[in-house]
Amino acid sequence: MTGPRLPPAGPPARQLPERRQSRRNGARQLLHLFEHSASGLLTCDAQGRIVLCSPVAARLLGTEPGTLCGQPLAGWLDPLAASGADAARLFEPGQCETMAHRANGSSFPVELTVSHTRLDGVPQSILILRDITDRRLTQEQLSYLANFDSLTGLPNRTLFRDRLAQAMARARRSRKPMALMLLDLDKFKLINDSLGHEVGDQVLRQVAEMLKGCLRGGDSLARGGGEAPFTVSRLGGDEFTVIAEQLASPEDAALIARRIIEALERPIHLLDHERHVSTSIGISMYPADDTDLDGLIRHTDMAMYRAKAMGRGTYSFFSAELSAELAARLQLENELRQAVERQEFVLHYQPKANLRSGEVVGVEALIRWQPPGRGLVPPDRFISALEDSGMILPVGAWAIRTACAELAAWDRAGLPPLTLAVNLSARQFGQPFLAGFIRDALAEAGISPQRLELELTERLLMEDSGATRGVLGALAAMGVRVAMDDFGTGYSSLSYLKRFDIDTLKIDRSFVSELASDPEDQAIATAIVAMGHSLNMKIVAEGVETEAQAQFLEALGCDEIQGYLLSRPMASAAFVEWMRARQAAERTYGAAPDSDSHPMTLMTMQTLDG
Ligand code: C2E
Ligand code: MG
Ligand code: MG
């Protein structure tokens, strides 16, 4: 048996032309690819000479394929080894970016893909060329945006950090100290708020120009020459930095800071305004102050804050004491943050009495901090930290709400209808909703607005922003009273007493303490009482400790007194007890102005008893 027969193989004579045909087609395709590929194609021999060149490659290089063939690749592409070297050593296989040179001498960036092969045993390199001019441009634009501030054209925070790291490295190598300066414009927010952001932007642009200008001519300070000794950057907002290199000593840095301060003192011309700006500068030295980049920036920041605190328009160097001071401050702020969370604050109340009748008419709420396991902390130790950190807003709101609720509880307990004074920080007046908040707190407690008095300091009114006036107006419309606290210690300008609706003046303790003996204090107290009364204000003397002081004040016609003579501030429960004891004593001894016992005697007695 024979198996099934396979069909006979086709005749070889027919196969050959088909294969040839398809090979020919393939070759045409390859040629087409070679000629029309968007990338330029080149091959070169082991000597680095161009063997084959596609029309696109020739066009990219600004010439004809015929011109290129046989030429050394070295003349057309970077990076290039010594001429005549092995092509395999000119470029590593793989992809790289390099520069190509046109026949006319101009250059452009290319992406190069290289592979090494053998053709009939002869080594050969294949190169694919792509013009990446557009991509580079986009990259450069992106990198500009990532590294430069679009408003001023100065390096931004990112580039600043790079430049600082480089400057630190140079300072290490050259052993010449370097200064980092942090500039913060004084009251820039005011310009922005009052004249608008566009004007603010103009100011920033001009400040950037002034900074560059005043440092440009300053190379005389640079000892080494060579590299540019100054780098100006803008960190954002109104914060600029200057890196000053190759200094001989910190005095050089001080000289530069003074030059900057003077330069910025010149008026800035805006569309229709002329403005003066000033700047505060913090300085730290590398490597003396810190060897770490972030540490150096932090120290410069501390120094800048001190310059601000020193009164603006000035500079300050970082110092170790400053660091200790700031560390303590930070620690305090952290503790206070916890205190806010854990509600560790309490209010004490100090009574005020009518000087003629001796009757207790009101109280002032005074805050204290009760950290667990420690004694009560007085407000002078923490109020400014609360203000700086913004925590005064929740704490101040708590104080108002708590004091109102306490007053309502005293009413229910049968105490006479007292008035309540609460201290407010300037910071709280920045809140547009303050008046609304106070209205709600009063309504919640069921207290009439006329019984609340807010104690403000002179600083608040001196800064006189439109917002302050708005809030004061809204409070006055509600019937809430306003007292000027610590009167006489600030600028005591009559104009703002008139401009703002002030109901009460509180003569500062410092004028009261020597009142019985110091003629100058007597003159001041006399003037305050007379002036206040002529403006229809009530006068309260604070810090009254002796009967002699009280009698002097009474003779002047002062309305109320507050102080240790009457009582120290007390916790709420103690205050209620104190009031009850006092009411009982009044019933026993009588306290009418015409009785034998002078009201002051009653006050003293109560203090001794209580
Ligand atoms: P202030 O409003 O001027 O309060 C009067 C300060 O004088 C109180 O100090 C009070 O205890 C003290 N004092 C009262 N009578 C006498 C006296 O006869 N002799 C002496 N030597 N001192 C007397 P305190 O409680 O330490 O408060 C200090 C300051 O802290 C207050 O001054 C006020 O400006 C601020 N403060 C207190 N509570 C608050 C608050 O809730 N919010 C805000 N923003 N500030 C507050
Ligand atoms: Mg007060
Ligand atoms: Mg006071």
Side-chain angles (χ1 to χ4, degrees), residues 350 364 367-368 379-380 423 425 485-486 509 542 545 564:
Q350 189 178 34
E364 176 177 3
I367 196 168
R368 273 100 186 83
D380 292 340
N423 294 281
S425 291
D485 207 349
D486 306 336
R509 201 163 73 214
E542 38 172 52
E545 295 183 353
Y564 296 170

Side-chain angles (χ1 to χ4, degrees), residues 12 62 105 172 177 203 334 355 370 417 463 475 489 491:
R172 272 197 304 276
V203 169
N334 280 336
L355 196 42
Q370 173 69 82
E463 287 176 3
L475 288 171
T489 53
Y491 287 76

Side-chain angles (χ1 to χ4, degrees), residues 22-57:
S22 86
R23 285 237 312 262
R24 202 173 289 143
N25 275 344
R28 275 185 56 218
Q29 286 287 348
L30 282 176
L31 191 65
H32 189 78
L33 186 73
F34 181 74
E35 283 178 346
H36 296 282
S37 155
S39 305
L41 304 172
L42 288 167
T43 62
C44 63
D45 63 17
Q47 281 70 47
R49 274 190 309 261
I50 298 171
V51 176
L52 203 65
C53 167
S54 76
V56 173

Side-chain angles (χ1 to χ4, degrees), residues 271-348:
L271 276 179
D272 45 355
H273 317 266
E274 196 179 85
R275 276 269 150 181
H276 286 269
V277 290
S278 72
T279 181
S280 302
I281 306 180
I283 309 171
S284 65
M285 301 295 298
Y286 177 83
D289 290 334
D290 206 312
T291 50
D292 164 68
L293 185 138
D294 285 304
L296 199 66
I297 295 176
R298 216 168 31 244
H299 289 159
T300 318
D301 215 37
M302 291 179 188
M304 196 276 293
Y305 276 103
R306 182 156 69 180
K308 286 254 181 232
M310 277 161 50
R312 298 159 199 273
T314 186
Y315 64 89
S316 168
F317 278 90
F318 169 78
S319 70
E321 305 90 77
L322 176 58
S323 166
E325 213 174 276
L326 269 134
R329 180 70 176 220
L330 279 180
Q331 159 96 2
L332 176 65
E333 272 188 23
N334 280 336
E335 286 178 6
L336 285 172
R337 204 153 281 133
Q338 283 193 345
V340 172
E341 259 168 44
R342 299 181 189 158
Q343 307 188 341
E344 291 171 0
F345 298 98
V346 288
L347 290 179
H348 280 196

Side-chain angles (χ1 to χ4, degrees), residues 203-218:
V203 169
L204 291 173
R205 247 179 266 141
Q206 290 203 30
V207 165
E209 287 309 312
M210 283 167 138
L211 271 175
K212 283 190 282 187
C214 86
L215 294 174
R216 205 172 289 133

Side-chain angles (χ1 to χ4, degrees), residues 22 49 148 151 191 212 276 333 435 524 556 584 586 603:
S22 86
R49 274 190 309 261
F148 288 87
L151 182 69
I191 297 181
K212 283 190 282 187
H276 286 269
E333 272 188 23
I524 290 170
L556 288 183
E586 268 170 11
M603 287 176 185

